[in-house]
Amino acid sequence: MGTIFDKILSGDIPSHRVYEDDLVYSFLDINPISRGHTLVIPREAKARVHELSDESCAAIGRALPRICRAVLKATGAVDYNILQNNGAPAHQAVFHVHFHIIPKFADQGLGIGWKAGSLETEDAQTLLAAMHEDLASGG
Ligand code: 5GP
């Protein structure tokens, strides 16, 4: 099933375009949490980052710092967050991969609840064994 970002990509609904290339599109968020809040999306219609092709991810990686520089220059912001949500419990509302660039000002920007624990050695080893096995098989 398509998302509203498919309609933005096809031009069926308008957007304030920041940047585009063959694989990437970027536009202003319609409900910014700070001035200059910008979205960066792959043209590839996948819900979550781990589902993307290497090509889409590489293109996003290439474009993201450039778009960040443009956002900073346009807004005068120095600090910013990049937010990327995967899944409804992780606050994803539009199920097409997107990266938020959110300028941080004294009174505007992303607020984060960060309940830090501590890494236990035994669990670290368990996690690493599973991750290394997956990565060794090609991810
Ligand atoms: P999520 O919670 O999925 O990470 O964020 C989705 C983002 O997409 C929200 O910040 C929301 O404001 C933005 N958004 C949703 N619909 C539209 C739209 O039609 N146009 C634009 N420009 N942004 C949208």
Side-chain angles (χ1 to χ4, degrees), residues 40-115:
V40 181
I41 70 174
R43 291 189 188 277
E44 187 180 8
K46 289 284 161 55
R48 300 173 182 226
V49 161
H50 69 273
E51 297 167 343
L52 282 177
S53 64
D54 289 354
E55 289 71 25
S56 282
C57 268
I60 288 198
R62 206 165 36 239
L64 203 48
R66 293 185 207 163
I67 300 168
C68 288
R69 286 193 287 274
V71 170
L72 296 178
K73 195 159 185 190
T75 61
V78 173
D79 304 312
Y80 61 103
N81 293 94
I82 293 180
L83 176 69
Q84 204 286 310
N85 300 324
N86 296 276
H91 304 289
Q92 185 177 14
V94 178
F95 295 96
H96 182 126
V97 171
H98 51 282
F99 291 75
H100 299 255
I101 302 171
I102 307 170
K104 182 71 178 175
F105 303 104
D107 58 340
Q108 292 175 46
L110 183 67
I112 303 178
W114 192 288
K115 215 172 144 198

Side-chain angles (χ1 to χ4, degrees), residues 4-5 8 13-16 27-33 37 39 83-85 90-96 98 100:
I4 194 142
F5 290 175
I8 286 177
I13 68 167
S15 63
H16 294 93
F27 53 104
L28 297 179
D29 196 295
I30 203 166
N31 293 128
I33 64 170
H37 182 168
L39 299 174
L83 176 69
Q84 204 286 310
N85 300 324
H91 304 289
Q92 185 177 14
V94 178
F95 295 96
H96 182 126
H98 51 282
H100 299 255

